[in-house]
Amino acid sequence: MKVSIDDLHKAFESRVRLGIMSALAVNEGLDFTSLKDFLDVTDGNLATHIKKLEKESFIEVEKSFVDNKPNTTYYMTQEGKKAFEEHLNVLEEIINSQKKKSN
Amino acid sequence: MKEEQDYIQDLAEIRSMMERSSKFLSLSGLAGVMAGIYALTGAYIAYSVFNFNPHEIIYRSFESSSLSMVIFIAIAVLIMAIGTAIFLSSKKARKRDENVWNATSKRMIASMAIPLAAGGIFILILLSKGLIGLIAPSTLLFYGLALYNASKFTFDDLKLLGLIQMGLGLTSAWFVEYGLLLWALGFGMVHIIYGIYMHLKYER
C-alpha cells in the first residue's frame, strides 16, 4: 500500500485535537474538566478544538446535571474511532517508509 | 509540511496521552515503604503489649478490652498508611505537574474502595460472631483483591502485589496460628520490599 501525507486527516493536524482523540480512545467518556486537566490548555482553546472534532462527528457530547451543575461528557464516535485508527496507521507507514528511504 | 521528526513526536504524544489519561502514575512507592513500617510497628505492639496472637478461629482466651485496643491499633495503622499515601502521592503528582485528584486517580480509588468496603463489612461480621482468628486472613485477602482490581488504573506491578497478598491471606486462613505473622509479612515486609522496588523503578 502506498501512503502519502495527503492521507492524514486534516482534523488531526493539531496536537490538541490529537490529544483529545488519544484520551477518548482509552476512556469510555471524559468530562470537560478532565480533558482540560490532561491536555493542559485553556477553556477557550479546548472548546474550539472540541467543536472542530464535533463538526467532523468524531466525538459526541452528552449534557447532564450532576448535583444541579451542568456536566458535559465527551465520547468518541465509531466514525472517530475509525478515523483515529487510520491516522495512526498512516503515521506509522510514513515513518516506516522514510526509514527505509534513509537506509 | 511536517517532517519525519514531527510524526514520531505525534506518535510519542499519542502514546503518552493514552497512558496519562487511563492510568494514575503518581502513586508513591515510598508510601508503600511507610505503610509497611506502620504495619510492622502495629503488629509488634499488638503481639508484645497486648499478647494478641490468635491460634484458633474462635479466639476465646482473649480479653475483650485488649481486643478493642488491637482494633484501635489496626485502624490507626490504616489511617496513617492512607494519609501517607495521599500526602506522598500528591507531592509526586505536583512534581509531575499532574492533578492528584483527577479522572484516573478517582477511578483507581473507586476500583479499590469497593472490594475494601465489602471486606470491611465482612470483617465486622466476623468480629460480631467472635471469629477473631479469621480477621487477619480476611484483611489480606480483600486487600489483595482490591490491589488486583486497581492495577488496571495504575502501575501494572500492583497486580502481582495483589496476588501475593491474596496468597498470604488464603495461607493464613488455613494456618490460623500463623495469622498475625503472615499479616506482618504481607502488610509489613512485602509492602516495604515492593515500595523500594517501585521507588527504584519509577521514581529515580
Side-chain angles (χ1 to χ4, degrees):
Chain A
M1 193 177 82
K2 202 173 144 39
V3 286
S4 73
I5 320 291
D6 303 331
D7 292 327
L8 286 172
H9 202 290
K10 288 269 184 295
F12 298 133
E13 262 173 5
S14 122
R15 283 265 161 84
V16 178
R17 290 199 288 273
L18 213 47
I20 296 171
M21 294 301 277
S22 310
L24 289 176
V26 288
N27 284 282
E28 221 172 285
L30 284 172
D31 60 14
F32 192 86
T33 332
S34 302
L35 271 175
K36 207 181 81 171
D37 238 27
F38 290 139
L39 289 154
D40 208 14
V41 288
T42 61
D43 280 21
N45 197 342
L46 180 58
T48 320
H49 287 298
I50 282 176
K51 222 163 253 154
K52 281 219 175 95
L53 288 171
E54 240 189 294
K55 226 187 220 156
E56 298 281 351
S57 59
F58 286 173
I59 62 176
E60 58 188 359
V61 188
E62 195 184 277
K63 288 190 164 117
S64 61
F65 282 85
V66 177
D67 297 330
N68 284 324
K69 277 184 223 144
N71 188 58
T72 327
T73 314
Y74 300 93
Y75 300 90
M76 195 182 242
T77 60
Q78 279 303 325
E79 210 178 325
K81 203 173 170 176
K82 222 178 115 198
F84 184 62
E85 273 165 13
E86 242 155 57
H87 183 78
L88 286 179
N89 287 338
V90 176
L91 275 182
E92 227 170 271
E93 293 274 344
I94 292 172
I95 290 166
N96 283 341
S97 67
Q98 287 187 348
K99 255 189 208 145
K100 258 178 230 148
K101 242 185 262 165
S102 64
N103 276 345
Chain B
M1 205 182 83
K2 281 191 176 180
E3 298 283 326
E4 181 193 356
Q5 230 29 48
D6 292 318
Y7 295 123
I8 291 173
Q9 185 65 24
D10 270 5
L11 274 180
E13 282 196 17
I14 289 169
R15 177 181 291 165
S16 140
M17 177 57 67
M18 282 177 157
E19 189 174 72
R20 228 165 353 121
S21 65
S22 61
K23 282 172 178 287
F24 180 65
L25 300 177
S26 293
L27 192 64
S28 161
L30 285 181
V33 177
M34 293 308 292
I37 293 170
Y38 303 149
L40 283 181
T41 313
Y44 178 76
I45 294 172
Y47 178 73
S48 62
V49 179
F50 297 103
N51 250 324
F52 180 74
N53 191 22
H55 47 79
E56 55 196 352
I57 288 178
I58 299 176
Y59 191 33
R60 280 196 199 85
S61 49
F62 199 64
E63 287 169 54
S64 59
S65 64
S66 300
L67 182 62
S68 40
M69 276 315 291
V70 170
I71 293 168
F72 176 77
I73 294 169
I75 293 172
V77 166
L78 181 70
I79 291 173
M80 275 163 54
I82 293 174
T84 309
I86 294 173
F87 177 71
L88 291 177
S89 295
S90 26
K91 232 174 93 182
K92 189 174 165 188
R94 259 200 305 280
K95 227 197 261 169
R96 289 163 41 95
D97 221 4
E98 192 181 63
N99 197 343
V100 71
W101 186 237
N102 65 12
T104 56
S105 67
K106 279 181 210 167
R107 241 174 317 176
M108 183 195 73
I109 289 166
S111 66
M112 277 195 103
I114 289 164
L116 286 182
I121 295 166
F122 183 67
I123 286 163
L124 288 178
I125 295 169
L126 292 177
L127 201 59
S128 71
K129 305 273 182 194
L131 302 171
I132 310 299
L134 283 179
I135 290 178
S138 307
T139 55
L140 283 166
L141 186 58
F142 282 96
Y143 180 58
L145 289 168
L147 286 177
Y148 189 85
N149 205 26
S151 70
K152 280 179 291 213
F153 304 115
T154 177
F155 300 103
D156 268 338
D157 310 65
L158 250 61
K159 194 176 264 177
L160 179 64
L161 180 61
L163 288 171
I164 293 171
Q165 303 288 12
M166 277 187 253
L168 286 171
L170 292 171
T171 311
S172 64
W174 185 262
F175 302 105
V176 173
E177 60 275 28
Y178 296 112
L180 188 68
L181 190 70
L182 289 167
W183 190 92
L185 184 68
F187 280 96
M189 292 313 293
V190 174
H191 262 159
I192 292 173
I193 295 166
Y194 228 86
I196 292 172
Y197 164 75
M198 297 283 283
H199 181 68
L200 294 179
K201 188 170 171 189
Y202 299 107
E203 286 163 27
R204 274 197 319 177

